[in-house]
Amino acid sequence: MKRWRPLYLLGIILMAIVVFVGAILSFLGFTDEASRGRNAKEFWRDFLEDFNWQEFPWENFPFDMLEDFPWDTLPWDDLPENFDWNSIPWENLPENFPWEKLPWKDPPENFPWDRVPWNDVAWDRVPWDEIPEDFPWEKVPWEELPEDFPWEDVPWSEAPPELWEDFPWTELPENFPWQLLPWLAIPPALVPDDAFPEDFYPEAWEHEHVFSGDWVLVSPATCGAAGEEINECILCKRTIHRAIKPTNLHTFDEEGICGVCHVRRLILMSESKSAQYSGEPLVGDTVPVFLAGSASLLEGHMLNTAGLRFAKCRELGKAVNSFYFVNKVCVIDGAGRDVSSQYYVEKVFGTLELTKREIVLRTKTKQKKYDGTPLSGDEGKPDDYTVEGLVGGDRLVDVVFGESVTDRGMRRQNEIVSFRIVNAAGEDVTGNYAVQVEWGWLIVTP
């Protein structure tokens, strides 16, 4: 079949030419020029409509040799599946090429998008929802599109990033759908400052709202309910709502109930605690007490004691015994549900005081007869001194005794002149102790 295709093609062309020439000669003798033109088109239309397009050698047909080829007569919607679209001379098509008859609604996979002369396209017929991934976005004449161009049909989210670098931002029409552009994919630096219309700014772009006037009150805040006010951002033109915190300025009656919002007042106080240093922090974990002025809890309601968290005092001195409820769940019902919104909780804090630990440091009394050698309190024995009251794990280190005695009849206190106390981790905790001393004596007899 391939060997005979050129002969078949030549036969078609010769037959067409012979019939066409014959028809022209007949028309020259019997018709005027206008009639001859109409009859020539009718001849081509009849010829092409009756032709077996399934057998037509598309890949070899010399369209460019026929200046008056009747493109509008081709059965575009019935072309065979193996039709070679690249065989059409896209770059040399006539001005009256029937673009509207192309199968835009169902373009074939091998449709030569990059060879379409886009300046002559009927834009309302382009199937924007079916364009391929390799659609030639850069060949669309964005700056010269007609007023009725279907801007809203373009799948902007599929456009390549490089399109926005040369996009005609400042030459777009008034009806351009700015809100449809994929702003998350468009760097702000690519858009000129004066490109946007006055009533538009990309919501997807992160920015700090700028306001030119005062906030307008929509609803005032009350003691238990938030209010609302609005303003307009001069950049994105959006109306911005913001809440006004409740005033919390309740008016409580003698029973501790607000006359406006009916919330119940609870005044909770943590206890004060004091303890000596023990190696552990002092925790203020006592259940708060209700002070005078508090309302009673509603039936079935109780404090969320499991959610209470208290302060810890780790250093010597006083600290506030503050407390809070986890996730602000202050009051729960019998099923454990949060009912805190029905209560207004005030807190009064006690104190935590961590004091020094009292201990007693003792040395023994030692004596001997004069022998010319010194008598010292530090003999390197475990019982050279004793300590009463140390926290478990704490111990004395760097212990230094006072002077020894040698001469007859000498008598001196068996004192320790310096020492340190460290904990199990080796940290110096001497300052956490109040040390009382009980010294023995060093005595040399005659």
Side-chain angles (χ1 to χ4, degrees), residues 200-217:
F200 178 80
Y201 190 87
E203 292 187 12
W205 281 359
E206 293 185 4
H207 68 285
E208 183 176 351
H209 295 299
V210 178
F211 307 105
S212 60
D214 296 331
W215 289 81
V216 178
L217 181 66

PDB file of all heavy atoms in Angstrom, residues 200-217:
ATOM      1  N   PHE A 200      -8.424  45.795  45.302  1.00  0.00           N
ATOM      2  CA  PHE A 200      -7.927  44.413  45.333  1.00  0.00           C
ATOM      3  C   PHE A 200      -6.527  44.333  45.938  1.00  0.00           C
ATOM      4  O   PHE A 200      -5.694  45.214  45.742  1.00  0.00           O
ATOM      5  CB  PHE A 200      -7.887  43.820  43.923  1.00  0.00           C
ATOM      6  CG  PHE A 200      -7.334  42.415  43.889  1.00  0.00           C
ATOM      7  CD1 PHE A 200      -8.124  41.343  44.236  1.00  0.00           C
ATOM      8  CD2 PHE A 200      -6.001  42.186  43.560  1.00  0.00           C
ATOM      9  CE1 PHE A 200      -7.608  40.054  44.243  1.00  0.00           C
ATOM     10  CE2 PHE A 200      -5.481  40.905  43.563  1.00  0.00           C
ATOM     11  CZ  PHE A 200      -6.292  39.837  43.905  1.00  0.00           C
ATOM     12  N   TYR A 201      -6.323  43.245  46.674  1.00  0.00           N
ATOM     13  CA  TYR A 201      -5.005  42.859  47.162  1.00  0.00           C
ATOM     14  C   TYR A 201      -5.068  41.353  47.406  1.00  0.00           C
ATOM     15  O   TYR A 201      -6.074  40.862  47.925  1.00  0.00           O
ATOM     16  CB  TYR A 201      -4.647  43.578  48.471  1.00  0.00           C
ATOM     17  CG  TYR A 201      -3.210  43.385  48.889  1.00  0.00           C
ATOM     18  CD1 TYR A 201      -2.214  44.229  48.416  1.00  0.00           C
ATOM     19  CD2 TYR A 201      -2.852  42.335  49.738  1.00  0.00           C
ATOM     20  CE1 TYR A 201      -0.896  44.061  48.789  1.00  0.00           C
ATOM     21  CE2 TYR A 201      -1.529  42.154  50.109  1.00  0.00           C
ATOM     22  CZ  TYR A 201      -0.547  43.015  49.635  1.00  0.00           C
ATOM     23  OH  TYR A 201       0.756  42.835  49.995  1.00  0.00           O
ATOM     24  N   PRO A 202      -4.050  40.582  47.004  1.00  0.00           N
ATOM     25  CA  PRO A 202      -4.123  39.109  47.142  1.00  0.00           C
ATOM     26  C   PRO A 202      -4.276  38.674  48.594  1.00  0.00           C
ATOM     27  O   PRO A 202      -3.409  38.939  49.429  1.00  0.00           O
ATOM     28  CB  PRO A 202      -2.776  38.638  46.565  1.00  0.00           C
ATOM     29  CG  PRO A 202      -2.316  39.747  45.687  1.00  0.00           C
ATOM     30  CD  PRO A 202      -2.804  41.006  46.345  1.00  0.00           C
ATOM     31  N   GLU A 203      -5.373  37.998  48.896  1.00  0.00           N
ATOM     32  CA  GLU A 203      -5.588  37.524  50.249  1.00  0.00           C
ATOM     33  C   GLU A 203      -4.560  36.463  50.635  1.00  0.00           C
ATOM     34  O   GLU A 203      -4.251  36.283  51.810  1.00  0.00           O
ATOM     35  CB  GLU A 203      -6.998  36.940  50.387  1.00  0.00           C
ATOM     36  CG  GLU A 203      -8.087  37.989  50.264  1.00  0.00           C
ATOM     37  CD  GLU A 203      -9.455  37.404  50.566  1.00  0.00           C
ATOM     38  OE1 GLU A 203      -9.505  36.269  51.072  1.00  0.00           O
ATOM     39  OE2 GLU A 203     -10.461  38.077  50.290  1.00  0.00           O
ATOM     40  N   ALA A 204      -4.053  35.732  49.619  1.00  0.00           N
ATOM     41  CA  ALA A 204      -3.098  34.653  49.915  1.00  0.00           C
ATOM     42  C   ALA A 204      -1.744  35.186  50.356  1.00  0.00           C
ATOM     43  O   ALA A 204      -0.961  34.461  50.967  1.00  0.00           O
ATOM     44  CB  ALA A 204      -2.928  33.754  48.691  1.00  0.00           C
ATOM     45  N   TRP A 205      -1.445  36.447  50.028  1.00  0.00           N
ATOM     46  CA  TRP A 205      -0.156  37.020  50.433  1.00  0.00           C
ATOM     47  C   TRP A 205      -0.208  37.402  51.904  1.00  0.00           C
ATOM     48  O   TRP A 205      -1.120  38.104  52.357  1.00  0.00           O
ATOM     49  CB  TRP A 205       0.149  38.254  49.604  1.00  0.00           C
ATOM     50  CG  TRP A 205       0.682  37.937  48.238  1.00  0.00           C
ATOM     51  CD1 TRP A 205       0.911  36.709  47.715  1.00  0.00           C
ATOM     52  CD2 TRP A 205       1.024  38.891  47.232  1.00  0.00           C
ATOM     53  NE1 TRP A 205       1.379  36.816  46.443  1.00  0.00           N
ATOM     54  CE2 TRP A 205       1.478  38.136  46.109  1.00  0.00           C
ATOM     55  CE3 TRP A 205       1.013  40.268  47.157  1.00  0.00           C
ATOM     56  CZ2 TRP A 205       1.900  38.763  44.927  1.00  0.00           C
ATOM     57  CZ3 TRP A 205       1.425  40.879  46.000  1.00  0.00           C
ATOM     58  CH2 TRP A 205       1.872  40.131  44.898  1.00  0.00           C
ATOM     59  N   GLU A 206       0.769  36.951  52.650  1.00  0.00           N
ATOM     60  CA  GLU A 206       0.841  37.326  54.056  1.00  0.00           C
ATOM     61  C   GLU A 206       1.221  38.802  54.177  1.00  0.00           C
ATOM     62  O   GLU A 206       2.149  39.266  53.530  1.00  0.00           O
ATOM     63  CB  GLU A 206       1.878  36.468  54.782  1.00  0.00           C
ATOM     64  CG  GLU A 206       1.488  35.002  54.894  1.00  0.00           C
ATOM     65  CD  GLU A 206       2.486  34.228  55.733  1.00  0.00           C
ATOM     66  OE1 GLU A 206       3.414  34.860  56.266  1.00  0.00           O
ATOM     67  OE2 GLU A 206       2.340  33.003  55.831  1.00  0.00           O
ATOM     68  N   HIS A 207       0.479  39.497  54.986  1.00  0.00           N
ATOM     69  CA  HIS A 207       0.800  40.908  55.187  1.00  0.00           C
ATOM     70  C   HIS A 207       0.160  41.370  56.495  1.00  0.00           C
ATOM     71  O   HIS A 207      -0.783  40.767  57.001  1.00  0.00           O
ATOM     72  CB  HIS A 207       0.283  41.768  54.026  1.00  0.00           C
ATOM     73  CG  HIS A 207      -1.210  41.850  53.945  1.00  0.00           C
ATOM     74  ND1 HIS A 207      -1.987  40.806  53.477  1.00  0.00           N
ATOM     75  CD2 HIS A 207      -2.085  42.835  54.294  1.00  0.00           C
ATOM     76  CE1 HIS A 207      -3.256  41.156  53.517  1.00  0.00           C
ATOM     77  NE2 HIS A 207      -3.350  42.384  54.011  1.00  0.00           N
ATOM     78  N   GLU A 208       0.705  42.413  57.013  1.00  0.00           N
ATOM     79  CA  GLU A 208       0.140  43.011  58.211  1.00  0.00           C
ATOM     80  C   GLU A 208      -0.880  44.057  57.790  1.00  0.00           C
ATOM     81  O   GLU A 208      -0.576  44.960  57.006  1.00  0.00           O
ATOM     82  CB  GLU A 208       1.243  43.671  59.044  1.00  0.00           C
ATOM     83  CG  GLU A 208       0.751  44.254  60.346  1.00  0.00           C
ATOM     84  CD  GLU A 208       1.875  44.806  61.192  1.00  0.00           C
ATOM     85  OE1 GLU A 208       3.060  44.580  60.836  1.00  0.00           O
ATOM     86  OE2 GLU A 208       1.580  45.469  62.200  1.00  0.00           O
ATOM     87  N   HIS A 209      -2.110  43.888  58.255  1.00  0.00           N
ATOM     88  CA  HIS A 209      -3.167  44.807  57.855  1.00  0.00           C
ATOM     89  C   HIS A 209      -2.824  46.241  58.267  1.00  0.00           C
ATOM     90  O   HIS A 209      -2.267  46.486  59.337  1.00  0.00           O
ATOM     91  CB  HIS A 209      -4.502  44.399  58.492  1.00  0.00           C
ATOM     92  CG  HIS A 209      -5.000  43.072  58.002  1.00  0.00           C
ATOM     93  ND1 HIS A 209      -5.291  42.818  56.692  1.00  0.00           N
ATOM     94  CD2 HIS A 209      -5.242  41.910  58.676  1.00  0.00           C
ATOM     95  CE1 HIS A 209      -5.711  41.577  56.564  1.00  0.00           C
ATOM     96  NE2 HIS A 209      -5.679  40.996  57.747  1.00  0.00           N
ATOM     97  N   VAL A 210      -3.158  47.159  57.389  1.00  0.00           N
ATOM     98  CA  VAL A 210      -2.919  48.579  57.639  1.00  0.00           C
ATOM     99  C   VAL A 210      -4.271  49.282  57.640  1.00  0.00           C
ATOM    100  O   VAL A 210      -5.066  49.122  56.699  1.00  0.00           O
ATOM    101  CB  VAL A 210      -1.990  49.187  56.570  1.00  0.00           C
ATOM    102  CG1 VAL A 210      -1.795  50.680  56.830  1.00  0.00           C
ATOM    103  CG2 VAL A 210      -0.656  48.457  56.554  1.00  0.00           C
ATOM    104  N   PHE A 211      -4.523  50.059  58.665  1.00  0.00           N
ATOM    105  CA  PHE A 211      -5.808  50.731  58.801  1.00  0.00           C
ATOM    106  C   PHE A 211      -5.605  52.239  58.792  1.00  0.00           C
ATOM    107  O   PHE A 211      -4.649  52.758  59.362  1.00  0.00           O
ATOM    108  CB  PHE A 211      -6.502  50.308  60.098  1.00  0.00           C
ATOM    109  CG  PHE A 211      -6.627  48.810  60.246  1.00  0.00           C
ATOM    110  CD1 PHE A 211      -5.801  48.111  61.118  1.00  0.00           C
ATOM    111  CD2 PHE A 211      -7.541  48.111  59.489  1.00  0.00           C
ATOM    112  CE1 PHE A 211      -5.900  46.744  61.253  1.00  0.00           C
ATOM    113  CE2 PHE A 211      -7.659  46.739  59.612  1.00  0.00           C
ATOM    114  CZ  PHE A 211      -6.838  46.044  60.489  1.00  0.00           C
ATOM    115  N   SER A 212      -6.523  52.916  58.135  1.00  0.00           N
ATOM    116  CA  SER A 212      -6.382  54.371  58.018  1.00  0.00           C
ATOM    117  C   SER A 212      -7.243  55.135  59.011  1.00  0.00           C
ATOM    118  O   SER A 212      -6.984  56.292  59.301  1.00  0.00           O
ATOM    119  CB  SER A 212      -6.762  54.811  56.599  1.00  0.00           C
ATOM    120  OG  SER A 212      -8.111  54.455  56.312  1.00  0.00           O
ATOM    121  N   GLY A 213      -8.304  54.519  59.509  1.00  0.00           N
ATOM    122  CA  GLY A 213      -9.206  55.221  60.419  1.00  0.00           C
ATOM    123  C   GLY A 213      -9.427  54.464  61.707  1.00  0.00           C
ATOM    124  O   GLY A 213      -8.778  53.459  61.987  1.00  0.00           O
ATOM    125  N   ASP A 214     -10.350  54.961  62.503  1.00  0.00           N
ATOM    126  CA  ASP A 214     -10.666  54.329  63.776  1.00  0.00           C
ATOM    127  C   ASP A 214     -11.511  53.085  63.573  1.00  0.00           C
ATOM    128  O   ASP A 214     -12.224  52.937  62.566  1.00  0.00           O
ATOM    129  CB  ASP A 214     -11.418  55.312  64.681  1.00  0.00           C
ATOM    130  CG  ASP A 214     -10.564  56.517  65.048  1.00  0.00           C
ATOM    131  OD1 ASP A 214      -9.329  56.351  65.104  1.00  0.00           O
ATOM    132  OD2 ASP A 214     -11.135  57.604  65.266  1.00  0.00           O
ATOM    133  N   TRP A 215     -11.448  52.199  64.537  1.00  0.00           N
ATOM    134  CA  TRP A 215     -12.287  51.011  64.513  1.00  0.00           C
ATOM    135  C   TRP A 215     -13.732  51.405  64.789  1.00  0.00           C
ATOM    136  O   TRP A 215     -14.010  52.278  65.611  1.00  0.00           O
ATOM    137  CB  TRP A 215     -11.813  50.003  65.554  1.00  0.00           C
ATOM    138  CG  TRP A 215     -10.511  49.360  65.165  1.00  0.00           C
ATOM    139  CD1 TRP A 215      -9.263  49.863  65.304  1.00  0.00           C
ATOM    140  CD2 TRP A 215     -10.358  48.083  64.549  1.00  0.00           C
ATOM    141  NE1 TRP A 215      -8.323  48.985  64.821  1.00  0.00           N
ATOM    142  CE2 TRP A 215      -8.966  47.876  64.351  1.00  0.00           C
ATOM    143  CE3 TRP A 215     -11.242  47.083  64.153  1.00  0.00           C
ATOM    144  CZ2 TRP A 215      -8.456  46.716  63.770  1.00  0.00           C
ATOM    145  CZ3 TRP A 215     -10.732  45.923  63.571  1.00  0.00           C
ATOM    146  CH2 TRP A 215      -9.358  45.755  63.382  1.00  0.00           C
ATOM    147  N   VAL A 216     -14.636  50.719  64.077  1.00  0.00           N
ATOM    148  CA  VAL A 216     -16.060  50.998  64.224  1.00  0.00           C
ATOM    149  C   VAL A 216     -16.672  49.946  65.136  1.00  0.00           C
ATOM    150  O   VAL A 216     -16.522  48.738  64.899  1.00  0.00           O
ATOM    151  CB  VAL A 216     -16.771  50.977  62.858  1.00  0.00           C
ATOM    152  CG1 VAL A 216     -18.273  51.216  63.038  1.00  0.00           C
ATOM    153  CG2 VAL A 216     -16.159  52.032  61.945  1.00  0.00           C
ATOM    154  N   LEU A 217     -17.354  50.405  66.175  1.00  0.00           N
ATOM    155  CA  LEU A 217     -17.946  49.488  67.138  1.00  0.00           C
ATOM    156  C   LEU A 217     -19.183  48.832  66.547  1.00  0.00           C
ATOM    157  O   LEU A 217     -20.092  49.497  66.052  1.00  0.00           O
ATOM    158  CB  LEU A 217     -18.318  50.242  68.415  1.00  0.00           C
ATOM    159  CG  LEU A 217     -18.943  49.410  69.540  1.00  0.00           C
ATOM    160  CD1 LEU A 217     -17.920  48.413  70.074  1.00  0.00           C
ATOM    161  CD2 LEU A 217     -19.440  50.318  70.657  1.00  0.00           C
TER     162      LEU A 217
END
